[in-house]
Amino acid sequence: MPDNIIFNTIPTDIRTPGQYVEIDNSKALRGLPSLNRRILVVGNKLPTGMAAPLTLYRVNSGDEGATLFGRGSVLHEMLRLARAANKTSDIWALSVEDLAAGVAATKTVTVTGPAAGAGTIALYINGQKLSIGVAAGDAAAAVATAIAAVVNGYQNGPVTAAAAAGVVTLTARHKGAFTQGIGVLVNFYDDETLPAGLTLEIANGVAGTGNPDAADVVAAISDEWFYTIISPWSDSANMAIIEAELASRFGGMDMRTGHLFTGMAGTHAQLSTYGSARNSENSSFIGVKNPPQAPYLWAAVHGAVVEFNGAIDPARPFQTLDLPGLLPPSPKDRFRREERNLLLHDGCSTFTVSQDGIVQIERVVTTYQTNAWGIEDVSYLDVETVWTADYMRYAFRTAVATNFPRHKLADDGTDFDPAQPIATPSMIAGVLIATAKSLEKAGLLENFEDFKKNLIVQRSMVDRNRVNAVIPPDLVNQFRVFAGSIQFIL
């Protein structure tokens, strides 16, 4: 008769006297598991950065980003805002060098003068205010020279400056199409005014072209798992590369779910066209018209805020969350509700602006819009849906692995001692049901009784070492719309 208690490390035939006690942690974990989630920020580095390209670094502050990737680099800017918006998540960064064949974007600031009175110019570059003092009588060339000196003195900025004949040329520190979106404006707030007699006209110069190849990034992280990936590159080629990688990871043989966040600047028509060309449940982009900051900074803050809150509760809607560090576009460049509604149908995430000028999330959607047959499909419309389903997958998987780590498999009805490490389909079903109940208590699953009724767990007829299951959770939804009809009586 075998013993009724089964040990993992103490043999049954030991003869040397002693007291042998093993420690077994197989029953230690209770409740739902914690999913380890990390953020990856990718982007270009400057030669002044000490980081080796295509190498992962954990980053805890913007200053670390400056040291690693160069002060004023796109990664420095993104990490500074991302870390300010999310002080808790585990943030990593991976850099690439500028494409040699790329072109750096330029902008010009044309000064007309002279100044009729003293004052201060408020020049904003990617949301950072630079103050330039002006004395009465200063000629346009002198003002332009002063502007260039202040810009070059601000090492955290994304551009360098040169002045000639009253014109300041701002040149991006990086080469690349993403540099085209660097924001430059004068007098953001209503109480900011130019010194009398001066005008400043900002115009686009040389267009930025040539982003790095995201395939190098994908190869560098092939063995790593990052839940949120933030990229400054929104060009179609790089989006397709990263989306393809995330699609392969989302499948049942990998299960390393990841989500890509990018930003895009453009008119309503341009954003609609861009979004309509994408179709991935693993990517989101936030669209904005004439933003004061580059779209890659919108992506950094958007992704950081969504990841922080999604890790707390993947099903709770992200609407109304603040996006700190972002300056809103001017009122004339903000999309109306009707326009935002159309953008949401084209895979573009939207935002609103509060009364006090705070940019807030309206809705975070994926770019997934149609199924394999080209038919409209809203199953993966919202990021909350994708992340909730993924967490449930992780919870059910962890429950099975934890409860049956080294078990034998038998049919239901087999007469074995309860101490035996044996699993049956009904025992596995019981663990799945218990996990579903915990998910219901956590506010992630609804209609628990339907789950129990529709759950299928059965032993494979092809591989007798395998159990197949259909796990049918009903995901909770997000309260987004309330509609009512007031039918009054006189």
Side-chain angles (χ1 to χ4, degrees):
M1 174 73 66
D3 291 334
N4 291 332
I5 298 176
I6 305 300
F7 292 95
N8 294 316
T9 61
I10 302 174
T12 58
D13 60 349
I14 188 169
R15 295 187 178 184
T16 54
Q19 295 75 41
Y20 306 97
V21 181
E22 70 179 17
I23 296 178
D24 182 1
N25 69 338
S26 61
K27 305 298 182 182
L29 299 179
R30 298 183 181 183
L32 295 173
S34 176
L35 176 58
N36 183 28
R37 298 165 60 132
R38 297 189 296 171
I39 296 176
L40 174 65
V41 184
V42 300
N44 302 43
K45 71 177 293 289
L46 293 171
T48 54
M50 63 171 288
L54 299 175
T55 303
L56 287 167
Y57 295 87
R58 176 180 273 163
V59 182
N60 294 314
S61 68
D63 286 342
E64 288 186 15
T67 301
L68 287 168
F69 310 112
R71 190 166 296 279
S73 66
V74 60
L75 266 178
H76 174 211
E77 284 191 285
M78 293 173 71
L79 289 165
R80 180 171 54 81
L81 265 67
R83 183 49 86 189
N86 180 343
K87 297 179 172 60
T88 304
S89 295
D90 191 8
I91 298 181
W92 292 70
L94 184 142
S95 67
V96 296
E97 295 176 327
D98 287 353
L99 184 69
V103 175
T106 67
K107 292 182 184 292
T108 59
V109 182
T110 301
V111 183
T112 302
T120 304
I121 297 172
L123 179 67
Y124 288 82
I125 299 180
N126 261 0
Q128 295 299 303
K129 180 180 178 180
L130 304 180
S131 298
I132 299 97
V134 176
D138 278 354
V143 174
T145 299
I147 292 173
V150 171
V151 171
N152 288 327
Y154 180 60
Q155 295 299 309
N156 290 337
V159 297
T160 59
V167 178
V168 182
T169 300
L170 304 174
T171 303
R173 296 185 188 273
H174 288 292
K175 298 176 181 180
F178 67 94
T179 64
Q180 187 66 29
I182 293 173
V184 180
L185 58 88
V186 177
N187 297 340
F188 177 78
Y189 294 101
D190 292 339
D191 57 356
E192 294 172 337
T193 59
L194 286 172
L198 284 184
T199 61
L200 272 67
E201 181 180 350
I202 298 171
N204 289 323
V206 176
T209 62
N211 288 334
D213 190 344
D216 296 332
V217 172
V218 169
I221 62 170
S222 60
D223 296 328
E224 301 287 344
W225 184 8
F226 295 97
Y227 214 81
T228 288
I229 299 175
I230 303 171
S231 170
W233 317 309
S234 57
D235 60 281
S236 298
N238 279 330
M239 290 289 289
I241 290 170
I242 301 177
E243 286 171 347
E245 172 67 14
L246 295 180
S248 69
R249 294 184 177 210
F250 192 58
M253 293 304 294
D254 193 319
M255 298 177 288
R256 291 180 297 163
T257 292
H259 201 84
L260 172 65
F261 288 89
T262 58
M264 184 72 181
T267 64
H268 188 274
Q270 289 170 332
L271 295 175
S272 293
T273 300
Y274 178 82
S276 297
R278 308 244 59 80
N279 194 47
S280 170
E281 65 269 34
N282 306 123
S283 71
S284 295
F285 77 97
I286 187 167
V288 56
K289 181 181 179 182
N290 292 329
Q293 292 143 292
Y296 57 75
L297 295 183
W298 283 69
V301 176
H302 193 226
V305 169
V306 172
E307 169 56 36
F308 174 81
N309 289 276
I312 296 173
D313 187 338
R316 189 175 181 184
F318 301 119
Q319 60 209 34
T320 74
L321 291 174
D322 291 349
L323 295 176
L326 294 181
L327 297 181
S330 64
K332 67 181 178 61
D333 290 326
R334 299 173 194 173
F335 297 121
R336 303 187 309 275
R337 187 197 63 79
E338 296 83 359
E339 293 175 311
R340 300 196 307 274
N341 189 60
L342 291 173
L343 289 173
L344 289 168
H345 279 270
D346 292 326
C348 177
S349 298
T350 57
F351 65 93
T352 56
V353 181
S354 67
Q355 184 66 29
D356 55 350
I358 303 299
V359 179
Q360 297 178 321
I361 292 174
E362 182 176 47
R363 190 165 185 173
V364 186
V365 296
T366 74
T367 63
Y368 181 85
Q369 296 157 80
T370 60
N371 62 19
W373 298 101
I375 299 172
E376 184 175 357
D377 183 355
V378 298
S379 58
Y380 288 131
L381 171 64
D382 295 296
V383 170
E384 294 94 334
T385 300
V386 179
W387 283 3
T388 302
D390 180 64
Y391 179 76
M392 286 186 175
R393 171 168 66 179
Y394 184 77
F396 287 123
R397 177 188 175 198
T398 300
V400 173
T402 302
N403 283 274
F404 310 106
R406 293 182 60 232
H407 282 58
K408 297 172 278 187
L409 180 60
D411 286 332
D412 290 328
T414 303
D415 185 18
F416 56 85
D417 190 288
Q420 282 292 322
I422 293 179
T424 67
S426 63
M427 294 170 62
I428 297 171
V431 168
L432 296 175
I433 290 171
T435 302
K437 189 63 178 178
S438 296
L439 291 168
E440 182 187 38
K441 291 291 187 181
L444 301 178
L445 179 147
E446 58 180 322
N447 295 321
F448 173 70
E449 292 302 321
D450 286 345
F451 176 90
K452 290 198 298 183
K453 181 175 65 176
N454 297 321
L455 175 67
I456 301 174
V457 181
Q458 58 190 20
R459 196 170 181 182
S460 173
M461 298 301 295
V462 177
D463 182 354
R464 299 298 287 169
N465 298 302
R466 170 173 170 165
V467 172
N468 297 324
V470 175
I471 307 172
D474 186 346
L475 278 60
V476 298
N477 303 101
Q478 293 75 46
F479 184 19
R480 302 194 190 276
V481 178
F482 171 77
S485 175
I486 298 178
Q487 300 179 352
F488 64 92
I489 299 175
L490 294 178

